[in-house]
Amino acid sequence: MSAQAIYEVTGSDVVAGLLGSGFSGELHQPGDAQYDVLRQSVVPTFDSKPLVVAEACSRSDVQAAVRTARQYGLPLAVQATGHGTRVPADGGILLKTSTMTSVLVDPQRKVAKVGPGTRWGAVIDAAGQFGLAPLAGSSRDVGVTGYTLGGGVGWLARKYGFAADSVIRAEVVTADGRVVTTSADEHPDLFWAIRGGSGNFGIVTSLEFRLYDVPQVHSGVVYFGIDNAAETLKFYRDWSATIPNELSTAILLTRLPGTTTRALAIKASYSGDADLAEHLLKPLFNQAGPILAGELKTTPYGESAMGGTPARYLDMLDTLPDDLLDALAELPTETVEIRHWGGAMAHPGPGAGPVGHREAAYSLIIDQEVPELAPVLRNTGRTFLNFVADPGQATSAYAAADLTRLRAVKRAYDPDNFFHLNHNLKP
């Protein structure tokens, strides 16, 4: 029987338990100056009210938090940057790893090792000194660990795969407070599961992953008129099937920056020669019409800014039928983003983790719900974990066989679902 079943646990009890377990970081309760700041996530409507916010400084602090939460029968949530926080830690412990931001780059091995609170910007800058690049996403501010464990799709993914596919080792605090090092040779079942299965199996306290020889890219966002949108979308569908893996693209129906004027936009990033990139993109740009704004330019990898679209609606598609593209072109206000997948994402090496629906050729994101389009959208029910706002939809991010295997690993490492304040996969 847990202590919580005998009496109501207070924040003071939790603080005493954490200190008694050797926790060395800062602790905050309601009423403390930093409590309301640290409990927030990036999602503005999110309002978590934990008993204690605990700022971890070390692996030992993470272990102490796990053991204390178990001692008092309390829920435990983990937050680095807050980008992936979707489930409140009400009445529990919110463990912050934000200060654990170490970055070590080995240029000879082309490997980075980071702490759990590290953001992509720090890795990009450290690796860039050696002409190397990580498989980061669209924002420098996003946390490395949460992004990577959820799969991680960035602008180098068609060439090098998902971020999860580049992980080579992780240190994990398990549900019983142990520390295990996992790799292809150590705890291989856990290693497989964390590379796409997110934080369901433990708390990652360090992560090692490959870096790539990409000192610069030719990239940017270019805006065109909207009048020819439907035909340009269809051209993009056919054209994108012919391009090399070095070229990653997305096509959007959106607005000109700083205006309410509707426009068609093309995002492109090429990890190679600028002239070849322009040659490959020329047919698509000719189809789209005169350029209204924006440009492609060659920059260091870390200076490429592509941005993203909020995924109020998300689907993973194998094809783009004409009637769907016609309907999307008629949307009056929504931002629509169709992104080309495939390449190395669809063809990982042996032993790759459970990143879901690798076979999809495109993702479709709309920044608003569009129930009136339900008949033509014909939603496949497939999602991608990094984009899932509703944790109850987490299972839709996995193929059936992977989901069965993930649950088996969950039963082995967390049979009572201690780690459940997340995109949860039940044992």
Side-chain angles (χ1 to χ4, degrees):
M1 181 178 294
S2 71
Q4 194 174 32
I6 302 172
Y7 66 92
E8 184 176 352
V9 179
T10 68
S12 296
D13 294 327
V14 177
V15 168
L18 286 165
L19 294 175
S21 296
F23 195 92
S24 62
E26 296 289 331
L27 300 171
H28 309 276
Q29 299 181 62
D32 293 353
Q34 287 296 302
Y35 173 83
D36 284 328
V37 175
L38 294 171
R39 68 187 179 88
Q40 297 299 323
S41 80
V42 171
V43 181
T45 57
F46 190 82
D47 190 28
S48 181
K49 297 178 179 178
L51 282 176
V52 174
V53 178
E55 295 187 86
C57 298
S58 66
R59 176 184 67 192
S60 297
D61 283 350
V62 174
Q63 290 180 277
V66 169
R67 289 167 179 162
T68 301
R70 301 212 72 128
Q71 175 188 352
Y72 289 105
L74 298 176
L76 175 71
V78 184
Q79 184 183 94
T81 65
H83 285 83
T85 303
R86 302 287 181 175
V87 183
D90 294 346
I93 299 172
L94 175 58
L95 179 66
K96 299 280 291 187
T97 60
S98 309
T99 64
M100 298 173 66
T101 58
S102 61
V103 179
L104 297 173
V105 171
D106 184 334
Q108 281 71 45
R109 295 173 58 222
K110 299 179 184 177
V111 167
K113 180 178 181 179
V114 306
T118 304
R119 297 173 187 254
W120 276 119
V123 184
I124 290 169
D125 292 344
Q129 299 178 48
F130 305 102
L132 300 172
L135 301 186
S138 299
S139 172
R140 292 171 56 91
D141 291 331
V142 168
V144 173
T145 301
Y147 169 93
T148 301
L149 300 187
V153 58
W155 289 94
L156 296 177
R158 281 181 34 81
K159 175 64 175 177
Y160 299 110
F162 294 103
D165 296 335
S166 285
V167 173
I168 57 176
R169 184 174 290 104
E171 182 183 82
V172 183
V173 175
T174 60
D176 56 4
R178 293 181 299 129
V179 176
V180 301
T181 298
T182 181
S183 67
D185 301 317
E186 306 167 277
H187 301 278
D189 54 344
L190 180 61
F191 182 63
W192 174 83
I194 65 171
R195 291 177 297 144
S198 194
N200 277 282
F201 313 95
I203 303 172
V204 170
T205 50
S206 75
L207 195 67
E208 292 183 55
F209 47 88
R210 297 183 188 90
L211 302 171
Y212 298 91
D213 291 304
V214 184
Q216 62 186 28
V217 292
H218 191 66
S219 66
V221 186
V222 183
Y223 295 84
F224 303 85
I226 197 72
D227 293 342
N228 199 30
E231 293 308 311
T232 302
L233 291 175
K234 294 168 188 175
F235 186 92
Y236 176 76
R237 172 194 60 200
D238 300 334
W239 169 87
S240 61
T242 70
I243 61 177
N245 293 347
E246 289 80 4
L247 179 57
S248 289
T249 60
I251 189 166
L252 293 86
L253 306 176
T254 184
R255 287 163 292 280
L256 282 173
T259 77
T260 59
T261 303
R262 294 285 283 171
L264 181 143
I266 295 169
K267 293 182 178 182
S269 182
Y270 186 73
S271 54
D273 180 75
D275 290 340
L276 183 52
E278 297 283 354
H279 172 75
L280 291 167
L281 287 160
K282 184 176 180 180
L284 179 62
F285 282 19
N286 286 343
Q287 170 63 35
I291 294 175
L292 302 181
E295 63 176 342
L296 302 182
K297 55 185 178 180
T298 300
T299 66
Y301 169 76
E303 295 179 13
S304 175
M306 305 297 286
T309 302
R312 304 287 185 266
Y313 174 90
L314 167 69
D315 200 5
M316 309 298 298
L317 303 173
D318 299 324
T319 61
L320 296 170
D322 284 356
D323 61 342
L324 169 61
L325 299 179
D326 287 335
L328 293 174
E330 294 300 319
L331 289 175
T333 60
E334 292 83 359
T335 291
V336 175
E337 178 178 309
I338 296 172
R339 183 164 175 172
H340 185 212
W341 288 49
M345 292 184 279
H347 300 96
V355 178
H357 311 306
R358 294 175 178 272
E359 73 284 359
Y362 304 94
S363 61
L364 169 62
I365 288 176
I366 308 175
D367 69 347
Q368 300 177 41
E369 292 289 347
V370 282
E372 69 275 15
L373 290 188
V376 70
L377 287 173
R378 297 189 293 274
N379 194 298
T380 68
R382 299 181 297 182
T383 59
F384 186 71
L385 197 69
N386 289 145
F387 299 152
V388 175
D390 178 4
Q393 300 298 313
T395 57
S396 62
Y398 301 101
D402 284 346
L403 185 58
T404 298
R405 185 178 173 187
L406 282 165
R407 284 179 163 146
V409 178
K410 179 77 168 176
R411 288 193 295 273
Y413 286 89
D414 186 16
D416 57 357
N417 203 16
F418 174 69
F419 296 116
H420 65 276
L421 298 183
N422 50 29
H423 287 82
N424 193 232
L425 304 176
K426 296 180 180 178

